[in-house]
Amino acid sequence: MLHAVSDMTVFASQSAASSSISSASVRQLQSLQIIDQTAEFLGGLVEELGSVTEKLAKQA
């Protein structure tokens, strides 16, 4: 009986550890997605600024 209880305790601690690792991985992925979206947005802004600058240069 004692052996079964210790097995269950080990299993519970292992599953708790793996769930905390997986939630940390999810948070990292979410951070990467935010960084990716920000980079895309900034890339779009740079393109927009480039086209505005070209238009202004043509008008000058």
Side-chain angles (χ1 to χ4, degrees), residues 12-30:
S13 63
Q14 284 175 341
S15 63
S18 68
S19 73
S20 68
I21 289 169
S22 67
S23 69
S25 299
V26 166
R27 281 195 298 274
Q28 276 186 320
L29 275 175
Q30 288 170 339

Side-chain angles (χ1 to χ4, degrees), residues 38-60:
T38 305
E40 259 183 62
F41 173 73
L42 289 175
L45 267 182
V46 168
E47 283 180 35
E48 196 64 37
L49 281 172
S51 70
V52 167
T53 307
E54 278 179 32
K55 288 176 188 169
L56 287 174
K58 287 178 184 172
Q59 287 178 357

